[in-house]
């Protein structure tokens, strides 16, 4: 773990839920596990119930650290942090009864998979509601439950492909390309968290439990809501690589990204300081798109001599939205993150002490100096 | 309509999509969301951020992100306009905003100002980098948050070409507007429990980073940074294969190296060849299967190629466009798309609900995205202003309704 990451003051408060609120994750998927982590960050007690014999999705997925003898999935370590975990043999009557006892005290269930899978295990939504009548029961399947896709496994690449997400990413000289990590499964987790909180809000008033379903695919559609609205309005269909105003530029030490409005073009020219940018071919947004390759090549003659962070500060000083392409090392050393105490230490047995990002929200009260 | 969030009232100062898309979710589920805009400075998203507002509900994404809300137009720079907003705050659980840092304070609507009006208020600030720290006042756009949040550093074709999520998608806005509804509700429930106010500080940049904890942990332990590797990652066997037609592709995602056999059986790759036999080299086997698959799929439609692979137990799907979701059989079977009337007399389909409740969830969009100040008179009446007072405020341009609001 880097010195900078360790140096940040750890004084964040993200708790909003009663510490007595009990959440049970049934089964395992990236989206339910992220949702559970967020609930833990909100202050709930989260227990993951793993079914004996079922695939351990998190532990089998990379990235991995450690040697072959003690290989650890950082995905699993991250998404189990702050939770308790029990493994249950559902064929064992006494283990099943112990599980039922645990479920009776649950306020929230996050169920990974389809109704059919859990009914076959004797834990249908009806059964869960019988055990915990006032619980909020949320089920997240990868692809939904009612057509030929219901049995397909969760896959971030397939989600980005089938939902239209990656069709807009990349450039036309190459194949569509995915966004790294788990963006759509993450959004499924966030929307499930919305469902949980909506259910808990309603329960405060009615005293009754509720049930909701969603799928990672449905969440992908939710995240791409703009594409369909444009298509129906007959507006121009955007193709990948055609983002007007977006610049990603090579620098001495990486890449820099800026999004300038047409009115900011003059400022951009001033920052770069190359008179060749006064060419009338670049005077209009349409002209800059048409001549994007030449434009970027010209600008990069300057930016290749500059550091990405210097460019970031220079453009921001002129009010232009800009950023540098932060590596994870950059994140761990970011003055902004360090000042906010964003990373928390976590031990990985046999490997060492690393860092995890905290919740992305903080809660302040009138007594806090920031207020 | 849904009454699940009945009793939740939101004074909504949010604009564009990171904020307005969040309060849309609350409005869908029955919260009373009052969109507060300046008489002369409405939400710039009405004009698609292009500068010209024109017809104030002509921009289709604006209509989606603001459906089910009421709208009031107020000149916040006048004392009487500020008093109108204070009265809205006094009857609200939460004030939501996503301005640049310092704006709400300059308007007289900072956290302490709000607490003075309502002692248990929640102020939800959705911002680029949070309300504290050396970068808290800097500007952002989706591209810059993809970059600063870290996801861009391992997205793209190779290390020389980091790529962002595109203007149409704008991943950092979608994560913020998906996370914020839950946080707002949690904060309101907490304040109702103890009667104390709360300032909720949601950082969009941190949200991007918080969702890549696996990579952060790995780098913090090993010093190695993830880099862009196209559609294949070091820990998966996945790729796109071209199919017949213009820019047509099939995505293939295998759960294990063993599934290479399944693909090979469909595309006719010989994994028993002398060059591979006994080598036990998954990378070489994958390369052979991939090359064979590309030849096999090039003469087939994406749908046909994907269907044949799926029939063999392989996860394979066509790379679709977002428009195709409008006809997706599963989304149709869920009744996911919501048909809504448009200002020109037609209809459009808008995205469905964040999640589908078995009971109690919304069954339709009950209000279209509002015009500027569409509900000004109604809201003022609820706040206790009588007809003469309202007329006076309108005459002096302290507030405006649709007929009086600036249209460009």
């Amino acid at each position: 773990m880097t010195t900078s990451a360790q140096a940040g003051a750890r004084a964040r408060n993200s708790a909003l839920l009663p510490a007595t609120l009990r959440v049970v994750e049934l089964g395992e998927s990236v989206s339910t596990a992220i949702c559970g982590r967020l609930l833990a960050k909100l202050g709930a007690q989260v227990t993951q119930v793993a079914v004996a014999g079922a695939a351990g999705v998190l532990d089998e997925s990379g990235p991995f650290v450690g040697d072959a003898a003690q290989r650890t999935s950082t995905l699993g370590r991250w998404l189990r942090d702050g939770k308790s975990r029990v493994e249950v043999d559902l064929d064992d009557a006494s283990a099943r009864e112990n599980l039922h006892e645990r479920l009776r005290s649950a306020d929230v269930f996050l169920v990974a998979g389809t109704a059919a899978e859990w009914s076959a295990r004797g834990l249908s939504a009806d059964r869960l509601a019988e055990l915990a009548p006032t619980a909020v029961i949320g089920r997240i399947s990868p692809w939904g439950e009612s057509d030929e896709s219901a049995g397909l496994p969760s896959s971030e690449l397939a989600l980005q492909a089938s939902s239209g997400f990656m069709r807009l990413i990349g450039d036309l000289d190459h194949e569509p390309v995915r966004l790294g990590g788990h963006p759509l499964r993450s959004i499924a987790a966030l929307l499930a968290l919305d469902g949980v909180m909506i259910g808990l809000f309603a329960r405060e008033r009615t005293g009754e439990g509720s049930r909701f379903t969603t799928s990672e695919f449905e969440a992908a559609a939710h995240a791409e809501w703009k594409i369909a609205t444009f298509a129906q309005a007959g507006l121009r269909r955007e193709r990948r690589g055609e983002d007007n105003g977006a610049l990603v530029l090579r620098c001495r030490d990486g890449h820099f990204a800026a999004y300038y409005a047409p009115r900011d073009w003059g400022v951009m020219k001033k920052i770069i300081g190359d008179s060749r940018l006064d060419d009338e071919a670049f005077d209009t947004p349409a002209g800059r798109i048409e001549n994007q390759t030449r434009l970027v090549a010209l600008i990069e003659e300057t930016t290749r001599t500059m550091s990405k962070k210097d460019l970031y500060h220079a453009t921001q000083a002129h009010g232009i939205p800009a950023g540098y392409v932060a590596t994870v090392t950059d994140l761990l050393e970011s003055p902004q993150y360090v000042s906010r105490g964003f990373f928390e230490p976590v031990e990985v047995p046999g490997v060492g002490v690393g860092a995890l990002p905290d919740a992305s929200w903080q809660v302040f009260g009138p007594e806090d100096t920031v207020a | 309509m849904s009454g699940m969030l009945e009793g939740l009232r939101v004074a909504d100062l949010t604009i564009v999509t990171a904020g307005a898309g969040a309060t849309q979710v609350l409005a869908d589920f029955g919260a009373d969301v009052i969109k507060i805009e300046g008489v002369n400075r409405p939400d710039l998203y009405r004009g698609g951020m292009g500068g010209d507002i024109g017809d104030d509900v002509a921009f289709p994404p604006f209509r989606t992100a603001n459906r089910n809300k009421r709208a009031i137009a107020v000149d916040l720079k006048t004392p009487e306009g500020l008093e109108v907003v204070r009265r809205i705050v006094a009857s609200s659980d939460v004030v939501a905003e996503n301005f640049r840092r310092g704006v709400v304070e300059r308007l007289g609507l900072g956290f302490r100002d709000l607490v003075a009006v309502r002692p248990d208020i929640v102020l939800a600030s959705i911002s680029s980098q949070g309300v504290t720290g050396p970068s808290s006042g800097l500007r952002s756009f989706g591209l810059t948050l993809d970059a600063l949040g870290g996801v861009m550093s391992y997205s793209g074709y190779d290390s020389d070409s980091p790529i962002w999520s595109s203007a149409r998608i704008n991943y950092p806005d979608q994560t913020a507007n998906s996370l914020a509804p839950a946080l707002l509700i949690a904060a309101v429930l907490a304040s109702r429990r103890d009667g104390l106010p709360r300032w909720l500080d949601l950082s969009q940049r941190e949200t991007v980073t918080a969702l890549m904890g696996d990579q952060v942990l790995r780098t913090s332990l090993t010093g190695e940074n993830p880099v862009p590797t196209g559609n294949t990652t070091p820990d998966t066997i996945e790729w796109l294969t071209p199919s017949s037609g213009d820019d047509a592709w099939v995505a293939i995602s295998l759960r294990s190296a063993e599934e290479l056999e399944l693909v090979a059986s469909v595309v006719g790759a010989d994994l028993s060849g002398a060059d591979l036999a006994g080598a036990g080299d998954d990378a070489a086997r994958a390369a052979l299967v991939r090359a064979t698959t590309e030849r096999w799929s090039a003469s087939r439609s994406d749908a046909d190629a994907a269907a044949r692979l799926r029939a063999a137990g392989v996860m394979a799907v066509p790379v679709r466009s977002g428009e195709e979701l409008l006809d997706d059989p599963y989304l149709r079977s869920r009744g996911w798309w919501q048909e809504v009337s448009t200002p020109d007399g037609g209809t459009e389909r808008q995205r469905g609900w964040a999640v589908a409740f078995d009971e109690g969830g919304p069954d339709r969009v009950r209000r279209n995205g509002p015009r500027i100040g569409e509900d000004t008179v109604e809201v003022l009446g609820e706040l206790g202003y009588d007809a003469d007072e309202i007329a006076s405020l309108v005459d002096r341009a302290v507030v405006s309704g649709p007929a009086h609001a600036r249209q460009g």
Side-chain angles (χ1 to χ4, degrees):
Chain A
M1 184 174 168
T2 69
T3 304
S4 299
Q6 287 173 317
R10 294 284 315 144
R12 290 170 73 102
N13 172 32
S14 60
L16 289 166
L17 296 173
T20 52
L21 193 92
R22 292 170 187 262
V23 176
V24 172
E25 290 177 28
L26 275 180
E28 187 168 277
S29 71
V30 172
S31 48
T32 50
I34 291 176
C35 186
R37 175 169 172 79
L38 297 171
L39 282 160
K41 287 292 173 190
L42 279 166
Q45 299 174 42
V46 182
T47 302
Q48 193 225 337
V49 175
V51 177
V57 175
L58 304 183
D59 287 333
E60 291 171 6
S61 304
F64 298 102
V65 291
D67 55 27
Q70 197 170 9
R71 191 178 79 152
T72 299
S73 160
T74 58
L75 180 70
R77 184 66 187 85
W78 165 44
L79 294 179
R80 296 219 175 91
D81 185 60
K83 306 174 184 174
S84 57
R85 184 171 191 266
V86 294
E87 187 170 298
V88 178
D89 179 356
L90 291 174
D91 294 328
D92 180 311
S94 113
R96 181 181 279 273
E97 186 44 46
N98 287 341
L99 172 64
H100 288 179
E101 205 48 49
R102 181 184 292 275
L103 301 185
R104 284 188 183 95
S105 64
D107 297 285
V108 175
F109 292 104
L110 297 172
V111 184
T114 63
E117 287 171 55
W118 287 95
S119 291
R121 291 168 174 154
L123 289 171
S124 66
D126 284 344
R127 180 66 179 131
L128 293 177
E130 196 176 287
L131 290 165
T134 61
V136 178
I137 304 169
R139 192 173 62 246
I140 313 173
S141 59
W143 298 95
E145 315 209 10
S146 66
D147 78 349
E148 60 159 9
S149 300
L152 295 175
S154 174
S155 156
E156 183 64 40
L157 177 73
L159 279 170
Q160 293 193 31
S162 64
S163 64
F165 194 87
M166 69 192 306
R167 179 64 78 176
L168 289 173
I169 304 177
D171 63 67
L172 280 172
D173 292 334
H174 299 86
E175 65 189 35
V177 67
R178 57 167 292 174
L179 202 64
H182 313 277
L184 294 182
R185 293 193 282 200
S186 295
I187 287 175
L190 301 178
L191 295 177
L193 185 68
D194 291 343
V196 169
M197 292 312 310
I198 291 167
L200 290 175
F201 186 94
R203 187 175 81 163
E204 285 287 311
R205 188 165 45 80
T206 65
E208 295 174 0
S210 56
R211 304 179 200 175
F212 70 83
T213 55
T214 188
S215 65
E216 292 168 347
F217 174 62
E218 211 166 303
H222 185 92
E224 293 169 27
W225 56 286
K226 285 184 282 184
I227 299 170
T229 66
F230 280 110
Q232 293 175 91
L235 298 176
R236 191 176 73 88
R237 180 176 169 179
E238 207 165 85
R239 300 192 297 175
R240 61 183 182 275
E242 286 188 348
D243 282 338
N244 182 17
L247 281 176
V248 180
L249 302 165
R250 294 172 183 85
C251 299
R252 188 176 70 217
D253 53 357
H255 292 81
F256 160 79
Y259 201 93
Y260 65 94
R263 64 176 178 277
D264 294 328
W265 174 237
V267 176
M268 286 297 292
K269 284 199 295 184
K270 186 177 167 189
I271 293 168
I272 301 301
D274 187 329
S275 60
R276 289 175 294 176
L277 297 178
D278 291 329
D279 187 329
E280 63 181 17
F282 304 136
D283 279 353
T284 64
R288 292 193 287 275
I289 289 176
E290 193 178 331
N291 298 284
Q292 177 89 347
T293 304
R294 187 160 67 94
L295 177 70
V296 167
L298 272 178
I299 296 175
E300 285 188 337
E301 284 185 31
T302 299
T303 60
R304 280 179 186 274
T305 67
M306 303 172 73
S307 88
K308 60 186 182 182
K309 292 176 188 173
D310 286 348
L311 256 173
Y312 167 55
H313 292 295
T315 42
Q316 283 282 3
H318 286 88
I320 293 177
Y324 56 88
V325 177
T327 64
V328 176
T329 298
D330 290 330
L331 299 177
L332 290 163
E333 296 173 347
S334 157
Q336 176 68 8
Y337 281 176
V338 170
S339 77
R340 286 167 62 82
F342 180 49
F343 294 107
E344 54 188 350
V346 60
E347 182 166 6
V348 178
V351 182
V353 177
L356 282 175
D358 202 342
S360 60
W361 66 90
Q362 297 189 65
V363 183
F364 299 114
E367 72 285 359
D368 290 307
T369 49
V370 64
Chain B
M1 66 174 275
S2 173
M4 296 193 76
L5 295 182
E6 184 185 326
L8 176 65
R9 183 149 150 139
V10 182
D12 186 10
L13 292 163
T14 64
I15 55 172
V16 197
T17 61
T23 50
Q24 175 228 308
V25 173
L26 302 177
D28 281 352
F29 283 87
D32 182 12
V33 178
I34 301 174
K35 184 178 183 69
I36 302 167
E37 296 172 278
V39 168
N40 296 309
R41 299 194 67 174
D43 184 347
L44 71 166
Y45 203 50
R46 288 183 182 275
M49 301 181 71
D52 183 9
I53 300 299
D55 181 348
D56 56 359
V57 287
F59 189 57
F62 174 86
R63 297 196 292 264
T64 299
N66 291 281
R67 69 191 189 197
N68 289 327
K69 302 177 184 177
R70 298 194 288 170
I72 178 169
V74 187
D75 185 349
L76 289 161
K77 295 191 173 169
T78 64
E80 288 169 294
L82 189 57
E83 174 56 23
V84 169
V85 177
R86 284 192 177 126
R87 288 203 202 180
I88 295 173
V89 171
S91 62
S92 298
D93 299 282
V94 55
V95 176
E97 61 95 8
N98 62 326
F99 293 124
R100 283 185 70 196
R101 292 304 84 230
V103 170
V104 287
E105 288 81 3
R106 286 197 294 277
L107 289 170
L109 296 170
F111 183 54
R112 290 189 184 281
D113 302 312
L114 299 175
V115 173
V117 174
R118 175 153 177 152
D120 64 345
I121 196 72
V122 170
L123 170 60
S125 294
I126 302 166
S127 64
S128 301
Q129 300 203 41
V131 302
T132 64
S135 301
S136 59
L138 301 186
R139 291 173 184 265
S140 74
F141 187 77
L143 164 67
T144 68
L145 292 169
D146 270 343
L148 289 168
V151 71
M152 206 167 155
S153 73
Y154 63 117
S155 301
Y157 300 106
D158 53 46
S159 295
D160 196 40
S161 60
I163 271 172
W164 79 296
S165 58
S166 83
R168 279 284 188 269
I169 294 166
N170 193 334
Y171 172 64
D173 272 13
Q174 306 322 315
T175 51
N177 68 36
S178 299
L179 173 60
L183 300 182
L184 265 68
I185 296 169
V188 168
L189 288 175
S191 288
R192 286 186 178 182
R193 277 195 303 275
D194 61 17
L196 297 174
R198 283 169 174 80
W199 188 1
L200 179 65
D201 169 19
L202 173 59
S203 160
Q204 286 194 253
R205 180 185 180 188
E206 288 179 1
T207 301
V208 171
T209 305
L211 296 170
M212 44 187 273
D214 49 348
Q215 299 293 352
V216 170
L217 181 55
R218 175 214 184 210
T219 300
S220 68
L221 289 165
T222 67
E224 296 169 21
N225 283 294
V227 295
T229 53
N231 289 312
T232 300
T233 71
D235 306 305
T236 60
I237 305 176
E238 300 178 316
W239 72 95
L240 296 196
T241 191
S243 56
S244 63
D246 179 34
D247 198 28
W249 306 85
V250 174
I252 297 171
S253 175
L254 308 186
R255 283 170 288 191
S256 68
E258 286 71 40
E259 290 191 346
L260 285 168
E261 303 275 358
L262 299 176
V263 182
S265 70
V266 176
V267 304
D270 181 7
L271 292 177
S272 63
D275 53 335
L276 290 171
D281 184 339
D282 287 341
R285 287 156 54 86
L288 175 68
V289 170
R290 179 171 175 165
T292 310
T293 304
E294 288 177 358
R295 289 193 295 275
W296 173 84
S297 62
S299 60
R300 290 173 167 78
S301 71
D302 52 3
D304 178 51
R308 287 170 186 261
L309 287 163
R310 277 208 305 276
V314 175
M315 182 67 205
V317 293
V319 177
R320 297 196 295 184
S321 65
E323 298 97 296
E324 290 176 79
L325 297 188
L326 287 164
D327 296 316
D328 180 79
Y330 175 69
L331 293 177
R332 281 182 175 271
S333 74
R334 287 273 278 179
W336 191 78
W337 293 105
Q338 298 301 309
E339 190 155 299
V340 182
S341 62
T342 53
D344 62 6
T347 61
E348 66 182 354
R349 278 172 284 164
Q350 298 181 356
R351 68 175 173 185
W353 323 121
V355 297
F357 278 88
D358 287 3
E359 292 178 22
D363 57 4
R364 61 188 167 83
V365 173
R366 62 188 190 282
R367 298 178 75 105
N368 291 0
R371 304 197 64 193
I372 299 169
E374 181 171 319
D375 306 289
T376 295
V377 172
E378 178 180 292
V379 172
L380 289 176
E382 291 172 3
L383 294 173
Y385 290 91
D386 65 28
D388 289 342
E389 289 172 317
I390 294 171
S392 172
L393 290 171
V394 170
D395 286 346
R396 289 177 291 121
V398 174
V399 301
S400 69
H404 305 277
R406 192 173 70 94
Q407 298 292 300

